[in-house]
Amino acid sequence: MRKIGLIGGMSWVSTELYYRRINTKVQQACGHDFSAPMVIESLDFNGLIRTTDKPAWSEAAEIISSAAKRVEQAGATAILIAANSMHKVYDEVVDAVSIPVLHIADAVGARMKADGVTSAALIGTRNVMTEPWYRQRLIEHGVSLLPPDMDRVEELDRIIYDELMKGIVRRDAERTLKTFITNIDKTGVKAVVLGCTELNLIVDVNANILPIYDSTTIHADAGVDWILGAD
């Protein structure tokens, strides 16, 4: 098996989800005595949370690129950045290392293309929902996207940053997401993309009125494919 590098801490909640998913899938493939060869660089999210202006994003790129270099030096043969929003600095991270960095939106887009899904709504943090760098990746895989609903953006940002990233799961948040998805279904799109690595805590991925593409599990599974040499 190949060793993979996981850049986490953004938040620790999603890092835990990645670690569990990757090891569960490796055990399913190889047997219960196996676990995934992995290097984890868990960053202090306090220096990265709610990054907004250009200087702050430049600093974020530097922090994550430095982390990528460290996991490469520790023997990782590919890298996962365990946060959708931090893929905004993906190009800078790629330039900093000589090993592949597996883009979360490419993993989701490839899965949707394989399933024949051509339209979806993207929900997540503000920068994921409203900026082109993430949306364009999905579009390149043949997926047309519903325009972002700004009222939905505000409420999702609050739930993600004030609750989910702190490990807080509230029934009110579950009801809010259920309402959002019900309203999205009325638009005629064929799927929903969870573009935040903690949203699966309040969305039932396997039992919903629309197919749910959970970026966390799909990205983690791409990491498993790399570990097992199935890329």
Side-chain angles (χ1 to χ4, degrees):
M1 291 191 287
R2 295 186 288 193
K3 183 183 289 186
I4 200 158
L6 181 66
I7 301 176
M10 307 168 290
S11 64
W12 67 264
V13 178
S14 63
T15 307
E16 180 186 40
L17 295 171
Y18 270 85
Y19 185 76
R20 182 185 297 118
R21 176 74 177 189
I22 290 170
N23 276 288
T24 298
K25 297 295 282 187
V26 165
Q27 283 191 335
Q28 288 173 356
C30 301
H32 289 291
D33 292 335
F34 290 82
S35 54
M38 193 184 311
V39 178
I40 301 176
E41 176 83 9
S42 187
L43 300 174
D44 178 6
F45 198 28
N46 186 57
L48 294 166
I49 194 166
R50 281 181 167 153
T51 306
T52 52
D53 59 18
K54 190 172 181 179
W57 276 113
S58 294
E59 185 177 353
E62 207 171 300
I63 290 169
I64 297 174
S65 295
S66 295
K69 291 176 185 177
R70 289 191 291 273
V71 299
E72 181 179 22
Q73 289 164 3
T77 61
I79 295 171
L80 298 172
I81 302 170
N84 283 272
S85 60
M86 289 300 150
H87 280 74
K88 181 170 180 173
V89 299
Y90 173 84
D91 290 342
E92 291 93 325
V93 178
V94 168
D95 288 343
V97 294
S98 60
I99 59 176
V101 182
L102 309 184
H103 198 294
I104 194 167
D106 283 344
V108 173
R111 179 75 64 86
M112 297 176 82
K113 185 174 183 178
D115 291 346
V117 176
T118 57
S119 64
L122 172 63
I123 60 175
T125 57
R126 177 188 299 277
N127 72 329
V128 167
M129 288 183 70
T130 62
E131 296 179 18
W133 57 270
Y134 194 104
R135 299 175 69 87
Q136 189 59 40
R137 290 268 181 173
L138 296 179
I139 291 168
E140 287 170 3
H141 289 274
V143 181
S144 64
L145 294 172
L146 198 68
D149 181 320
M150 294 312 296
D151 291 336
R152 197 176 291 151
V153 168
E154 295 295 333
E155 182 62 7
L156 281 165
D157 233 37
R158 185 195 66 77
I159 290 170
I160 291 165
Y161 284 106
D162 295 346
E163 298 176 14
L164 299 183
M165 288 187 178
K166 299 175 183 177
I168 299 168
V169 176
R170 292 200 167 112
R171 184 64 181 154
D172 282 350
E174 293 175 348
R175 283 194 288 263
T176 296
L177 266 294
K178 189 171 184 179
T179 299
F180 283 173
I181 293 170
T182 298
N183 290 335
I184 287 168
D185 181 51
K186 295 174 184 176
T187 68
V189 299
K190 302 303 181 185
V192 173
V193 175
L194 301 186
C196 166
T197 49
E198 292 86 8
L199 276 175
N200 62 17
L201 296 172
I202 56 171
V203 175
D204 190 338
V205 173
N206 298 313
N208 225 296
I209 56 176
L210 281 171
I212 305 294
Y213 285 82
D214 173 28
S215 60
T216 308
T217 57
I218 293 171
H219 198 211
D221 289 353
V224 172
D225 288 343
W226 178 269
I227 289 168
L228 299 178
D231 55 282

